[in-house]
Amino acid sequence: MKKSNDLIAEAWDKLDKAIIYYHGRPIGTVAALVPGSDALNYDQCFIRDFVLSALAFLISGKPEIVRNFLIETLALQSHEPQMDSFKPGPGLMPASFKVVTKDGEEYLTADFGEHAIARVPPVDSCLWWILLLRAYVKSTGDTALAHQTDFQQGIKLILEMCLAHRFAMYPTMLVPDGSFMIDRRLGVYEHPLEIQVLFYAALRAARELLLPIDNNYSCIHSVHQRLATLTYHLREYYWIDLKRLNEIYTYKGDQFGQEVANRFNIYPNSIPIWLTEWLPDDGGYLAGNLGPGRIDFRFFTLGNLMAIITSLACEEESQKIMNLIEQRWSDLVGNMPMKICFPALEGIEWQIVTGHDPKNTPWSYHNGGHWPVLLWLLIAAAQKTNRIDIARKAIDIAENRLFQDEWPEYYDGKNGRLLGKEARKYQTWTIAGLLVAKELISNPTHLDLLSFDME
Ligand code: GLC
């Protein structure tokens, strides 16, 4: 078995090899180091994937690539008025981009989901972009970049798109199925936790980044208003623990009017059988989704861990989420931290919800697979809640196995024992995720890059 230092040196080396250059400057990293014909779009730089590389670069004192990335992706942001409904709307950031050479000239092409395999626009890209800008400013002190007119306008364009009042009566954002890390059908449409937590964090970041000038006044005002209602809504209605489960269990259905306990008309029979035994007495979590007549009771990892890191969850709730992870360790962590969501959709439910998707079969890929990129979130949340033993245990499980298995994208099986059936090897965010996790363990102050205080 290799020594930890050798493994880490190898990981940094691989991360360097993943760098994409544009006009001689580093601007991003490929999603995976895969040989040509197998590449599909894994030779592109995905915005969400690059966040991990960016954190690793910021922590190791190499902010230049992050700066270049922020500038180039801002230039790719869609400005098109929606005359042509087949084009992305203004404010949208691409899922990924790539350097192409034509007639000896290099230029960038962006994919807003029109080429990506599952064909969904990425709502999370613009939210991650704002969070990364804040992390860059915090790490370097380069506020001048965020204060540039084009950056202020870029932030406002994103906010205008996200804050627009459309066919919704909730402060959460209404989005299509698969518009984030889970980028194909999995019944994660409407108001998925994963997007709402990023939305909340991006609003908090935007509030810090927008200059208090006349031009920004109405936008800042809308951000304040939306943050207040969104925070209340998520804390109040998404939270599930035994007390709340009992409330839902005794809900009356079909009530009319404003002042009703069952505000979303949830029928108690929709509580899944597995949950009543699975939820520990001192555990809790934020539900995967909430809309009219619907709570998605699945546990989604990114949303719950980001809720801890960004202080959307209060101290007590954060501890309860960590209790749940500790007590349901084999389901949620198992042989590779950590499972993307629990439980998997099976049988006819899988057929209908995913449209028979052969990649998202039960306990594989997005449908209950284990994604090592989520390790850093577990470490960060463990640090924020002072549950260091959990952080150490998770790193020990992941470290050697990731090297031996050549940095796979994901693992399969109920407990993550199998290599992901179609997992790419040398997946960049797997590599960067472990590096960030190790850096967080040795220096917890790096957590400041993404965390927010309780308010
Ligand atoms: C897959 C994942 C997505 C990721 C992309 C590149 O499409 O579902 O989350 O960004 O691969 O790694």
Side-chain angles (χ1 to χ4, degrees):
M1 210 187 285
K2 280 198 188 180
K3 283 220 228 55
S4 185
N5 286 349
D6 297 345
L7 304 177
I8 296 303
E10 190 187 312
W12 281 115
D13 179 57
K14 291 278 181 285
L15 185 60
D16 275 348
K17 291 207 166 72
I19 293 177
I20 296 177
Y21 291 87
Y22 181 51
H23 295 140
R25 296 153 57 238
I27 57 154
T29 46
V30 290
L33 290 162
V34 271
S37 59
D38 268 354
L40 293 172
N41 54 351
Y42 284 81
D43 61 353
Q44 305 216 2
C45 176
F46 281 72
I47 292 202
R48 73 175 73 85
D49 296 39
F50 183 72
V51 172
L52 261 296
S53 304
L55 290 177
F57 289 130
L58 289 177
I59 289 172
S60 61
K62 294 180 201 148
E64 201 49 36
I65 182 172
V66 183
R67 188 175 206 277
N68 295 340
F69 169 90
L70 289 165
I71 294 170
E72 296 301 343
T73 45
L74 177 64
L76 294 174
Q77 184 181 36
S78 170
H79 289 83
E80 316 254 351
Q82 283 171 310
M83 307 291 268
D84 173 351
S85 320
F86 288 104
K87 296 251 169 71
L92 202 70
M93 287 279 187
S96 62
F97 64 86
K98 158 177 198 173
V99 180
V100 212
T101 311
K102 204 172 166 202
D103 301 331
E105 234 344 273
E106 275 185 355
Y107 62 96
L108 294 181
T109 54
D111 180 5
F112 289 87
E114 68 273 47
H115 302 292
I117 293 149
R119 304 284 191 282
V120 188
V123 177
D124 65 337
S125 287
C126 60
L127 305 173
W128 279 121
W129 186 87
I130 295 183
L131 289 174
L132 184 58
L133 176 60
R134 172 180 178 264
Y136 166 80
V137 170
K138 281 196 129 191
S139 164
T140 59
D142 182 7
T143 42
L145 183 73
H147 290 169
Q148 277 178 203
T149 316
D150 52 344
F151 271 72
Q152 293 284 304
Q153 271 165 356
I155 299 170
K156 280 200 293 182
L157 209 53
I158 292 173
L159 293 171
E160 273 160 29
M161 176 180 63
C162 294
L163 295 171
H165 209 67
R166 292 202 183 87
F167 302 105
M169 287 184 295
Y170 307 125
T172 36
M173 216 195 310
L174 183 65
V175 301
D177 212 349
S179 58
F180 49 100
M181 177 184 180
I182 297 175
D183 55 3
R184 48 212 287 156
R185 276 176 65 183
L186 199 71
V188 286
Y189 52 91
E190 282 187 352
H191 309 98
L193 177 71
E194 311 291 75
I195 284 289
Q196 311 312 325
V197 177
L198 290 179
F199 183 31
Y200 153 88
L203 289 179
R204 287 198 66 174
R207 213 173 50 180
E208 290 174 23
L209 295 167
L210 282 172
L211 281 166
I213 50 175
D214 281 357
N215 246 348
N216 290 348
Y217 178 76
S218 84
C219 184
I220 294 175
H221 180 68
S222 313
V223 168
H224 276 275
Q225 273 195 332
R226 189 65 168 259
L227 244 183
T229 49
L230 177 69
T231 309
Y232 174 81
H233 184 90
L234 292 171
R235 286 187 183 151
E236 186 70 18
Y237 301 119
Y238 278 63
W239 180 251
I240 292 178
D241 58 11
L242 207 54
K243 179 168 172 281
R244 174 110 170 91
L245 198 60
N246 272 306
E247 279 164 28
I248 301 172
Y249 186 63
T250 51
Y251 267 165
K252 300 211 172 358
D254 299 342
Q255 296 175 304
F256 177 77
Q258 281 280 328
E259 302 300 317
V260 299
N262 187 359
R263 291 201 53 155
F264 301 88
N265 200 28
I266 306 294
Y267 297 112
N269 276 347
S270 68
I271 297 175
I273 309 267
W274 60 267
L275 182 61
T276 51
E277 283 170 29
W278 192 73
L279 189 62
D281 286 355
D282 60 353
Y285 66 103
L286 292 155
N289 212 323
L290 175 71
R294 172 189 189 214
I295 296 188
D296 183 340
F297 289 94
R298 280 176 290 176
F299 174 90
F300 284 83
T301 297
L302 185 140
N304 273 284
L305 296 180
M306 276 298 274
I308 296 177
I309 297 164
T310 59
S311 293
L312 173 64
C314 70
E315 173 62 32
E316 193 194 336
E317 288 163 355
S318 299
Q319 291 297 338
K320 285 188 165 184
I321 297 171
M322 296 310 282
N323 291 345
L324 173 76
I325 293 171
E326 197 170 39
Q327 290 178 48
R328 297 293 172 256
W329 190 261
S330 66
D331 289 330
L332 297 176
V333 179
N335 295 281
M336 180 52 68
M338 178 167 180
K339 196 186 289 298
I340 192 166
C341 66
F342 178 91
L345 299 174
E346 302 191 68
I348 190 144
E349 202 184 1
W350 164 78
Q351 289 178 5
I352 295 171
V353 175
T354 72
H356 292 249
D357 184 348
K359 199 159 176 185
N360 269 336
T361 50
W363 310 107
S364 181
Y365 201 49
H366 302 138
N367 189 12
H370 290 234
W371 289 67
V373 63
L374 299 172
L375 169 72
W376 78 276
L377 284 166
L378 179 59
I379 305 295
Q383 268 172 341
K384 179 123 185 185
T385 48
N386 210 12
R387 307 281 288 261
I388 305 305
D389 45 331
I390 294 186
R392 295 242 157 78
K393 212 167 136 193
I395 279 271
D396 284 349
I397 294 171
E399 200 168 11
N400 280 311
R401 188 163 182 213
L402 287 179
F403 283 98
Q404 277 156 20
D405 295 345
E406 298 171 308
W407 310 100
E409 181 185 16
Y410 66 98
Y411 287 81
D412 283 353
K414 279 193 173 169
N415 312 117
R417 278 186 90 194
L418 301 168
L419 273 174
K421 200 181 234 162
E422 292 181 43
R424 296 290 179 292
K425 293 209 166 154
Y426 296 102
Q427 182 81 16
T428 307
W429 66 358
T430 301
I431 299 171
L434 179 77
L435 289 171
V436 171
K438 294 283 281 186
E439 295 287 340
L440 278 170
I441 292 262
S442 48
N443 184 358
T445 60
H446 295 314
L447 192 56
D448 293 348
L449 292 179
L450 275 184
S451 71
F452 293 85
D453 292 335
M454 191 70 196
E455 57 176 33

